[in-house]
Amino acid sequence: MRVVIAADHGGYTLKNAVVAHLRAAGHEVVDLGTHDGASCDYPPLAHDVAGRVVRGEADRGVLVCGTGQGMAIAANKVPGVRAAVVADTFSAEMAAAHNDARILCLGER
Ligand code: RB5
């Protein structure tokens, strides 16, 4: 699966762990950053990931911030995107199967 991923400073550490996990599982991952722990704005990153998923450049997107909420709100402003904040595997499965979500939003904090 082709996965595009991004995080702000609030999700930087978890994002790196998810990237490593996905690559170890054999997925193709495009990591848009952030690439250090310095403070940065999350909306441009969310829009970048959302756009790539909508255009079919990636099969799935992952966005990480402190709570996942800001990333989801920003990503869902892009027409055609369904991004969902989930914190458990059942919600993740249902968001994809019943809500056609293609972007997973996670909170590191
Ligand atoms: C950054 O401090 C924090 O506000 C951000 O990561 C996110 O939680 C916003 O929804």
Side-chain angles (χ1 to χ4, degrees):
M1 200 174 278
R2 297 168 304 155
V3 182
V4 60
I5 187 167
D8 72 355
H9 56 288
Y12 169 68
T13 302
L14 179 57
K15 184 264 293 177
N16 289 342
V18 173
V19 168
H21 176 76
L22 291 172
R23 286 181 175 154
H27 298 291
E28 179 186 322
V29 180
V30 174
D31 181 357
L32 300 179
T34 184
H35 297 294
D36 59 45
S39 182
C40 64
D41 292 334
Y42 61 81
L45 293 160
H47 292 164
D48 196 354
V49 165
R52 289 174 192 238
V53 171
V54 164
R55 291 191 300 272
E57 296 168 19
D59 302 304
R60 297 288 189 277
V62 179
L63 290 165
V64 193
C65 64
T67 61
Q69 302 293 352
M71 285 294 199
I73 290 166
N76 278 316
K77 290 184 182 296
V78 175
V81 162
R82 293 182 179 202
V85 182
V86 301
D88 62 273
T89 54
F90 178 74
S91 296
E93 192 175 338
M94 291 301 106
H98 290 192
N99 306 108
D100 200 26
R102 292 294 174 265
I103 298 180
L104 170 69
C105 300
L106 300 171
E108 177 180 317
R109 292 174 183 161

